[in-house]
């Protein structure tokens, strides 16, 4: 029989019990069979998802990304106090980042901290000032580009990517939509597909995009490229294609953006922090081009028997337009 509690129980003991209960509930999602992201993907997930979080969740996400070692040592209550939020907010943030519970997030933070301690030197400050020497600009941009590519690769869902590749390789026709900087990426993917013998159309004019989208059907593919995921001129043709049975793909920096409502497959890109001298279009283009190259290489692999001769034919057709090796042409 359990001994009765005294009138004044040990407060320290009760605090330990309470904390254990909180930790158990904070990690209860593990039973759902979810596979948490690898530690290396944590920073990328924070950068990608932070813009769509509430402000309180952003504070938690920023804290764990900036100081993984320090946060790994904190209980769910400690992190809530550090960020001025609630324990529920901490747990919701962990789950939004892909971890079943706070315990899983702490393990990832500890792993990330260990990697950072044994890896490269601290990152350089990437904010570009108006009076920065050009050598510093080059170094900062190069670092940002590398980080953006690494984050995109870490966060890219290869199952979704493989499904998109399979659809493209078997497609009767592919339409690609993009506006502004994303329109340039759309054209890049279009010309790559054309050079391996596939039928592809790139559209940056919203009217042409919609009038072509309504001609699509089952067996066709439509791809929307939009960093924000909320560009109406890109969403409208994707929706039209989706409603007509085409397989639809969204390449976006916001995995919960409106464009994903009409996408069978979502490929998420990462971007660096936007600044006055580095708009989002710059870093989003870098990550979008990586995804486009992954799609192209995957399709070329699957269609190699026809892609290889088509690519060789395109090179041969343009060979006479290039200068002889070591020579020069003058007009």
């Amino acid at each position: 029989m359990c001994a009765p509690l005294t009138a004044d129980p040990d407060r320290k003991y009760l605090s330990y019990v309470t904390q254990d209960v909180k930790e158990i509930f904070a990690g209860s999602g593990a039973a759902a069979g979810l596979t948490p992201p690898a530690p290396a993907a944590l920073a990328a997930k924070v950068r990608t998802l932070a813009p769509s979080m509430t402000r309180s969740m952003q504070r938690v996400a920023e804290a764990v990304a900036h100081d993984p070692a320090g946060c790994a040592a904190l209980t769910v209550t400690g992190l809530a106090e550090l960020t001025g939020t609630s324990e529920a907010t901490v747990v919701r943030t962990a789950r939004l980042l892909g971890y079943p519970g706070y315990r899983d997030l702490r393990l990832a933070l500890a792993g990330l901290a260990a990697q950072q301690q044994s890896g490269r030197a601290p990152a350089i400050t990437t904010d570009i000032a108006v009076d920065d020497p050009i050598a510093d600009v080059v170094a900062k941009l190069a670092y940002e580009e590398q980080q953006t590519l690494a984050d995109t690769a870490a966060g890219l869902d290869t199952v979704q990517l493989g499904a998109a590749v399979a659809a493209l390789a078997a497609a009767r026709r592919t339409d690609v939509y993009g506006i502004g900087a994303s329109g340039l990426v759309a054209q890049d993917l279009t010309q790559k597909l054309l050079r391996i013998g596939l039928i592809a159309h790139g559209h940056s004019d919203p009217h042409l995009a919609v009038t072509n989208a309504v001609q699509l059907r089952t067996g066709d593919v439509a791809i929307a490229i939009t960093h924000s995921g909320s560009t109406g001129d890109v969403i409208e043709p994707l929706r039209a294609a989706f409603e007509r049975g085409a397989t639809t793909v969204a390449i976006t920096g916001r995995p919960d953006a409106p464009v994903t409502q009409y996408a069978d497959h979502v490929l998420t890109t990462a971007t660096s922090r936007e600044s006055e001298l580095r708009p989002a279009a710059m870093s989003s283009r870098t990550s979008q081009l990586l995804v486009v190259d992954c799609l192209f290489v995957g399709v070329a692999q699957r269609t190699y028997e026809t892609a290889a001769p088509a690519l060789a034919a395109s090179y041969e057709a343009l060979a006479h337009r290039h200068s002889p090796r070591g020579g020069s042409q003058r007009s």
Side-chain angles (χ1 to χ4, degrees):
M1 181 174 177
C2 296
L5 286 174
T6 61
D8 186 19
D10 188 332
R11 290 181 178 272
K12 187 175 182 180
Y13 170 76
L14 286 180
S15 69
Y16 286 144
V17 173
T18 303
Q19 188 57 52
D20 285 343
V21 172
K22 289 175 181 176
E23 293 291 341
I24 289 169
F25 279 98
S28 60
L34 301 175
T35 302
L42 176 57
K45 293 278 286 186
V46 170
R47 278 185 282 269
T48 300
L49 296 175
S52 61
M53 293 179 179
T54 64
R55 185 65 196 110
S56 58
M57 293 176 74
Q58 285 178 348
R59 290 201 297 273
V60 175
E62 290 167 359
V64 300
H66 292 160
D67 185 15
C71 291
L74 296 175
T75 63
V76 64
T77 302
L79 184 54
E81 291 175 351
L82 176 69
T83 56
T85 60
S86 67
E87 294 159 4
T89 297
V90 172
V91 175
R92 283 198 301 270
T93 305
R95 289 176 177 164
L96 182 60
L97 291 173
Y99 300 93
Y102 182 61
R103 279 184 173 178
D104 303 275
L105 175 59
R106 286 184 73 181
L107 289 173
L109 290 173
L112 180 58
Q115 290 178 4
Q116 291 178 344
Q117 289 171 2
S118 62
R120 61 176 182 267
I124 60 174
T125 301
T126 53
D127 289 330
I128 299 175
V130 175
D131 57 351
D132 270 351
I134 192 65
D136 289 355
V137 172
V138 171
K140 291 179 178 183
L141 286 177
Y143 177 81
E144 281 285 3
E145 298 288 334
Q146 292 170 6
Q147 190 63 57
T148 297
L149 291 172
D151 286 353
T152 298
L156 195 57
D157 187 330
T158 53
V159 174
Q160 292 285 305
L161 178 64
V165 165
L168 281 168
R172 179 187 71 96
R173 161 185 161 185
T174 297
D175 277 16
V176 191
Y177 317 122
I179 300 295
S182 296
L184 300 175
V185 178
Q187 290 299 323
D188 182 74
L189 176 56
T190 300
Q191 66 90 13
K192 280 181 165 69
L193 295 176
L194 287 170
R195 290 192 70 176
I196 57 174
L198 301 183
I199 299 174
H201 306 275
H203 302 289
S204 56
D205 182 292
H207 292 180
L208 286 175
V210 173
T211 55
N212 277 269
V214 297
Q215 306 302 323
L216 298 181
R217 60 178 186 266
T218 301
D220 296 330
V221 173
I223 301 176
I225 304 176
T226 164
H227 169 60
S228 68
S230 57
T231 305
D233 288 338
V234 172
I235 295 174
E236 186 178 1
L238 191 74
R239 177 179 180 176
F242 179 81
E243 291 174 344
R244 283 158 181 78
T247 298
T248 53
V249 180
I251 301 176
T252 179
R254 305 286 183 265
D256 57 348
V259 72
T260 63
Q261 297 176 34
Y262 308 107
D264 296 307
H265 309 295
V266 178
L267 304 177
T268 305
T269 58
T271 59
S272 60
R273 186 166 55 83
E274 187 172 3
S275 65
E276 183 180 10
L277 294 178
R278 183 176 171 77
M282 290 176 63
S283 58
S284 66
R285 184 185 65 234
T286 299
S287 54
Q288 288 168 354
L289 286 171
L290 174 61
V291 174
V292 161
D293 285 348
C294 291
L295 286 170
F296 169 71
V297 172
V299 173
Q301 288 176 318
R302 281 179 171 258
T303 61
Y304 183 77
E305 291 186 1
T306 56
L311 198 56
S314 69
Y315 279 129
E316 184 178 350
L318 297 174
H320 71 283
R321 296 181 176 274
H322 298 285
S323 303
R325 183 172 295 179
S328 62
Q329 285 185 338
R330 294 181 183 273
S331 57

